């Protein structure tokens, strides 16, 4: 399947880091602007209000003396004409006009360009700013408002030194931020490559694994999520490697198991064809036994394969497990007696143990376990089956007499085609699939099965099933 090429993870990490830095710088710039608006401008406005009160008092004293605003209008007109003449005659020295009354009003020359004057009806006398757009203070004479003094907004004075300084600081901030962003980008690129290196290694290892190289492993460094993912990858590779070996061994064992009865059939049929063996009921019975052996082997392999792919069906219902064991023990009593072995069932509780399961599969499970002891236990001897309930679990023990098994063989008896090469493996031995089928049935009932050394000197099998409820 073709994979669309796009940005690699190191490119995405680099882009995320850079965009994060840009977002941080923009946010800081916005905070800076907000801080200026809420800080400096608020401070300047409060200071203007304090000075406006002083200016209103001084203007009121002058109004009492002149009884009109004409003197201020006249000085303001002379000042504007001087500014205009100064601009038009830059090379000439134009002396400033005398404006003693205006000079008395201002607390400092800082307010000279911002001064506004309105009459009692809020009409502008000095300045063109509307009354509602200015910060004003009433001029009161004998408890009567004769006018208003005001100041132009500080935001309108783009030539103001304080605002110019603030803008310069903002520009310097942007330049510094751009420089830091460049440094961050230079540092981020190798960092993104370093972070993506384990992922690249895992990508290469995954391709090798997909190509069938199950011995591929990743070196694990650190203790973060990528290290944990590397461990999981190594576990997966190990599992696949073991699965491949198990599949090879399973195929080889299956071929070996089928080869023997097929070779016997072929030999006997060829002998009949050559006239060495006559076709008698006895010879046909021998051929029939071999075909039955092959059929049973194929049925066992089919059951195991169906369990592995999850298609082995179970008809689950509430059943009494002690009744199923009793029925199985009764059906196996005669074969055990004929072999010189005793079969006992121990169950101390009076009430039945109820669980959710498939009665036919459980009967097959218990029959296989009892048959295993029947085939591999020396006479005189026997098998004891014990049933008990503990911690919401049904525990079933199968303990037979000698011979026993080694610790190594005990851990492998549930493998497919595994046979113990000792006194337990007699000519009556099975196909090496019985206990593997038992493990599959137990797993289908969400139970567990394990082997241990029986206190009677033989093999012990422990089966545990979860219980829904008891009666």
């Amino acid at each position: 399947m073709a994979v669309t090429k796009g940005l690699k993870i190191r490119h995405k990490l680099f882009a995320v880091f850079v965009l994060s830095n840009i977002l941080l710088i923009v946010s800081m710039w916005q905070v800076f602007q907000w801080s200026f608006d809420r800080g400096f401008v608020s401070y300047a406005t409060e200071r203007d209000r304090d000075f406006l009160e002083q200016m209103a008092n001084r203007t009121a004293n002058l109004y009492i003396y002149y009884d009109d605003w004409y003197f201020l209008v006249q000085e303001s007109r002379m000042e504007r004409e001087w500014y205009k003449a100064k601009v038009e005659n830059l090379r000439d020295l134009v002396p400033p006009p005398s404006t003693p009354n205006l000079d008395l009003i201002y607390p400092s020359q800082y307010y000279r360009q911002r001064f506004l004057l309105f009459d009692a009806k809020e009409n502008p006398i000095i300045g063109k700013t509307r009354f509602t757009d200015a910060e004003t203070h009433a001029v009161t004479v004998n408890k009567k408002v004769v006018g208003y003094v005001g100041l132009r907004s500080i935001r309108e004075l783009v030539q103001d030194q304080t605002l110019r300084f603030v803008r310069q600081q903002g520009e310097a901030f942007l330049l510094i931020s751009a420089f830091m962003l460049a440094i961050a980008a230079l540092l981020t690129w190798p960092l993104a490559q370093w972070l993506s290196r384990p992922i690249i290694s895992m990508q290469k290892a995954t391709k090798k694994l997909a190509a069938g190289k199950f011995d591929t492993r990743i070196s694990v460094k650190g203790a973060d999520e990528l290290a944990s993912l590397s461990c999981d990858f190594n576990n997966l590779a190990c599992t696949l490697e073991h699965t491949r070996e198990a599949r090879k061994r399973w195929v080889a064992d299956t071929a070996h198991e089928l080869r023997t009865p097929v070779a016997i059939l072929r030999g006997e049929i060829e002998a009949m064809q050559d006239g060495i063996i006559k076709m008698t009921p006895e010879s046909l019975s021998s051929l029939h036994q071999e075909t039955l052996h092959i059929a049973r082997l194929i049925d066992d392999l089919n059951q195991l394969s169906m369990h592995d792919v999850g298609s082995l069906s179970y008809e689950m219902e509430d059943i009494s497990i002690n009744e199923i064991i009793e029925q199985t023990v009764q059906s196996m009593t005669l074969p055990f007696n004929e072999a010189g072995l005793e079969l006992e069932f121990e169950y101390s509780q009076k009430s039945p143990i109820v669980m959710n399961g498939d009665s036919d599969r459980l009967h097959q499970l218990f029959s296989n376990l009892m048959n295993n002891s029947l085939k591999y236990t020396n006479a005189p001897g026997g098998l004891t089956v014990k049933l008990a309930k503990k911690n919401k679990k049904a525990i079933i023990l199968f303990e037979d007499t000698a011979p026993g098994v080694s610790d190594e063989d005990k851990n492998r008896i549930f493998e497919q085609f595994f046979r113990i090469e000792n006194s337990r493996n007699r000519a009556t031995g099975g196909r090496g699939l019985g206990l593997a089928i038992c493990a599959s049935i137990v797993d289908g009932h969400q139970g567990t099965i394990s082997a241990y050394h029986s206190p009677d000197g033989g093999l012990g099998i422990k089966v545990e099933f979860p219980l829904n409820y008891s009666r």
Side-chain angles (χ1 to χ4, degrees), residues 287-321:
L287 295 178
H288 183 254
Q289 289 298 324
E290 293 301 328
T291 56
L292 290 178
H293 180 72
I294 294 175
R296 287 193 294 269
L297 178 60
I298 293 174
D299 289 340
D300 291 344
L301 291 173
N302 182 56
Q303 284 193 39
L304 289 173
S305 63
M306 291 176 65
H307 175 80
D308 290 340
V309 299
S311 59
L312 186 61
S313 61
Y314 290 89
E315 296 181 1
M316 310 298 275
E317 59 182 351
D318 292 335
I319 57 170
S320 176
I321 190 171

Side-chain angles (χ1 to χ4, degrees), residues 369-422:
L369 293 176
M370 293 178 191
N371 270 311
N372 183 74
S373 295
L374 177 63
K375 294 175 182 178
Y376 298 128
T377 303
N378 294 335
L383 169 67
T384 302
V385 182
K386 302 177 182 179
L387 172 63
K389 173 189 173 185
K390 184 178 180 181
N391 298 330
K392 296 183 179 181
K393 288 184 179 180
I395 302 176
I396 310 145
L397 304 179
F398 296 82
E399 298 176 344
D400 59 26
T401 56
V405 297
S406 65
D407 290 335
E408 181 181 357
D409 292 338
K410 175 173 64 68
N411 297 326
R412 297 187 58 194
I413 61 175
F414 297 107
E415 295 181 7
Q416 299 173 10
F417 297 112
F418 179 76
R419 291 192 182 91
I420 301 173
E421 299 299 332
N422 59 13

Side-chain angles (χ1 to χ4, degrees), residues 125-145:
I125 298 175
I126 298 177
K128 298 181 179 179
T129 304
R130 292 183 303 177
F131 181 84
T132 55
D133 295 336
E135 188 73 28
T136 60
H137 193 285
V139 179
T140 305
V141 176
N142 297 326
K143 298 182 180 181
K144 179 182 179 181
V145 177

Side-chain angles (χ1 to χ4, degrees), residues 52 54-78 80 101-102 105 115-127 131 137-142 144-150:
L52 274 174
Q54 300 178 25
M55 295 167 66
N57 294 332
R58 296 173 184 178
T59 305
N61 293 332
L62 291 174
Y63 185 86
I64 293 173
Y65 182 78
Y66 289 100
D67 196 28
D68 198 352
W69 296 122
Y70 179 77
F71 66 99
L72 293 180
V73 175
Q74 192 69 10
E75 291 185 2
S76 177
R77 181 182 58 79
M78 293 170 57
R80 288 197 303 271
N101 295 310
L102 285 176
I105 295 175
F115 179 73
L116 300 172
L117 181 63
F118 301 88
D119 61 16
K121 296 181 179 181
E122 301 179 356
N123 296 317
I125 298 175
I126 298 177
F131 181 84
H137 193 285
V139 179
T140 305
V141 176
N142 297 326
K144 179 182 179 181
V145 177
V146 296
Y148 297 89
V149 292

Side-chain angles (χ1 to χ4, degrees), residues 99-382:
T99 56
N101 295 310
L102 285 176
D103 294 339
L104 288 175
I105 295 175
Y106 304 136
S108 68
Q109 292 298 318
Y110 170 77
Y111 293 92
R112 196 177 192 94
Q113 299 179 28
R114 299 176 58 199
F115 179 73
L116 300 172
L117 181 63
F118 301 88
D119 61 16
K121 296 181 179 181
E122 301 179 356
N123 296 317
I125 298 175
I126 298 177
K128 298 181 179 179
T129 304
R130 292 183 303 177
F131 181 84
T132 55
D133 295 336
E135 188 73 28
T136 60
H137 193 285
V139 179
T140 305
V141 176
N142 297 326
K143 298 182 180 181
K144 179 182 179 181
V145 177
V146 296
Y148 297 89
V149 292
L151 291 173
R152 291 167 55 195
S153 173
I154 193 173
R155 298 177 183 276
E156 298 179 8
L157 301 180
V158 295
Q159 293 85 8
D160 185 83
Q161 296 297 327
T162 305
L163 294 178
R164 186 180 303 144
F165 170 77
V166 172
R167 290 189 181 86
Q168 289 175 352
Q169 294 302 309
E171 293 173 358
F173 173 80
L174 291 177
L175 290 176
I176 294 173
S177 299
F179 177 72
M180 297 302 297
L181 180 61
I183 294 178
L186 293 176
L187 295 177
T188 298
W189 177 246
L191 178 62
Q193 288 185 316
W194 176 74
L195 289 175
S196 63
R197 191 176 297 127
I199 301 177
I200 295 174
S201 300
M202 194 171 300
Q203 181 187 24
K204 294 179 180 178
T206 304
K207 290 182 179 179
K208 293 181 180 179
L209 199 64
K213 299 179 180 179
F214 299 126
D215 57 344
T216 303
R217 298 293 185 273
I218 300 176
S219 59
V220 180
K221 297 180 181 179
D224 55 7
E225 290 80 357
L226 290 176
S228 177
L229 184 59
S230 299
C231 291
D232 293 339
F233 177 88
N234 291 338
N235 292 335
L236 174 62
C238 184
T239 301
L240 291 176
E241 186 176 15
H242 291 165
T243 302
R244 180 181 63 178
E245 296 300 325
R247 186 179 69 250
K248 290 180 179 179
R249 186 170 61 252
W250 187 85
V251 173
D253 291 342
T254 303
H256 174 75
E257 291 296 325
L258 289 174
R259 186 183 296 113
T260 301
V262 171
I264 294 174
L265 281 174
R266 179 181 177 182
E268 292 187 3
I269 292 174
E270 290 179 350
M272 289 180 183
Q273 290 176 338
D274 295 338
I276 299 175
I277 299 177
K278 294 183 179 180
M279 188 177 298
T280 62
E282 291 77 10
S283 61
L284 291 177
S285 176
S286 176
L287 295 178
H288 183 254
Q289 289 298 324
E290 293 301 328
T291 56
L292 290 178
H293 180 72
I294 294 175
R296 287 193 294 269
L297 178 60
I298 293 174
D299 289 340
D300 291 344
L301 291 173
N302 182 56
Q303 284 193 39
L304 289 173
S305 63
M306 291 176 65
H307 175 80
D308 290 340
V309 299
S311 59
L312 186 61
S313 61
Y314 290 89
E315 296 181 1
M316 310 298 275
E317 59 182 351
D318 292 335
I319 57 170
S320 176
I321 190 171
N322 52 289
E323 292 181 1
I324 297 178
I325 297 177
E326 289 176 355
Q327 294 172 3
T328 309
V329 169
Q330 290 176 3
S331 65
M332 294 295 298
T333 299
L334 180 60
F336 267 78
N337 292 336
E338 292 176 350
L341 301 173
E342 294 183 2
L343 178 59
E344 297 182 4
F345 175 46
E346 296 182 1
Y347 177 57
S348 58
Q349 290 186 213
K350 296 182 179 180
S351 59
I353 298 178
V354 178
M355 64 170 285
N356 190 255
D358 187 322
S359 58
D360 292 336
R361 296 294 180 188
L362 291 176
H363 181 78
Q364 180 185 7
L365 166 66
F366 301 142
S367 297
N368 284 354
L369 293 176
M370 293 178 191
N371 270 311
N372 183 74
S373 295
L374 177 63
K375 294 175 182 178
Y376 298 128
T377 303
N378 294 335

